[in-house]
Amino acid sequence: SMQDAAEKENRPEVLSETVHNLAKSTRTGSLWLIDNESGMLDAYNLLYPQFVDSEAKKEANRFRNMHQDMMQTTCIFKRSTVDKIFGLYKNGDTVSLLNDFINKNEPFYGELLRSIPGQDSAYRKHFQERVGEVWTWMKQCQENVKFW
């Protein structure tokens, strides 16, 4: 990621460069982060490695801290985003919900999972927890709002 490169190379100016995997919807004006097919699964394996040697643990902690810092720089959310995160949180089984959605809308998803057996275990184990972290942060932001 650009944030990773900026940190590793001690070059914060990298963060002002163009983001190449971001697109704007012509229909709604919303921004979409375009990723490769297994990017989310890869990210969870980086954040929660199966085989924890000292280097993998160090990198996982570094990326989790980076994600936490990034999230906590934002306290303004669209109502629709808050509603969707709350829906995921309240559902309690976000993995099944997301898998059902992907299976209905992405014909190659099952094939992808078969081609990388076991690579979705970190995602399956931690996705609900991560949704909970985002929901907790959103609530904290709301509670910290001061009205004059």
Side-chain angles (χ1 to χ4, degrees):
S1 74
M2 293 171 76
Q3 188 175 3
D4 180 40
E7 184 180 300
K8 277 187 173 175
E9 298 169 16
N10 195 25
R11 293 183 357 172
E13 67 273 10
V14 168
L15 296 174
S16 64
E17 294 176 4
T18 301
V19 177
H20 297 284
N21 59 340
L22 193 63
K24 188 172 185 178
S25 168
T26 56
R27 187 171 58 84
T28 66
S30 297
L31 293 177
W32 287 81
L33 182 63
I34 310 300
D35 206 347
N36 61 37
E37 293 80 13
S38 64
M40 185 168 151
L41 301 179
D42 292 341
Y44 273 86
N45 288 327
L46 178 64
L47 293 169
Y48 307 99
Q50 289 178 334
F51 308 104
V52 185
D53 60 35
S54 62
E55 188 60 32
K57 187 176 183 177
K58 181 179 169 186
E59 279 294 283
N61 285 332
R62 188 172 74 84
F63 274 98
R64 283 199 301 272
N65 289 334
M66 192 183 301
H67 284 202
Q68 187 79 6
D69 290 347
M70 179 75 78
M71 179 176 64
Q72 291 183 351
T73 62
T74 304
C75 240
I76 299 173
F77 303 96
K78 290 173 54 177
R79 168 55 56 193
S80 61
T81 302
V82 173
D83 292 344
K84 288 175 182 165
I85 293 295
F86 178 66
L88 290 171
Y89 175 77
K90 189 171 80 171
N91 176 279
D93 188 6
T94 55
V95 172
S96 293
L97 192 67
L98 186 57
N99 279 338
D100 291 347
F101 177 80
I102 295 170
N103 278 318
K104 288 177 188 168
N105 293 285
E106 176 49 67
F108 297 111
Y109 181 63
E111 185 178 322
L112 169 69
L113 290 181
R114 285 188 296 280
S115 72
I116 53 170
Q119 292 299 304
D120 63 339
S121 62
Y123 151 72
R124 290 183 175 283
K125 184 175 180 182
H126 296 283
F127 187 57
Q128 182 70 42
E129 169 189 327
R130 301 277 294 167
V131 168
E133 290 172 6
V134 173
W135 175 243
T136 299
W137 176 247
M138 289 177 156
K139 286 190 317 183
Q140 186 175 338
C141 288
Q142 183 179 17
E143 291 166 2
N144 290 338
V145 171
K146 296 196 180 3
F147 295 100
W148 292 271

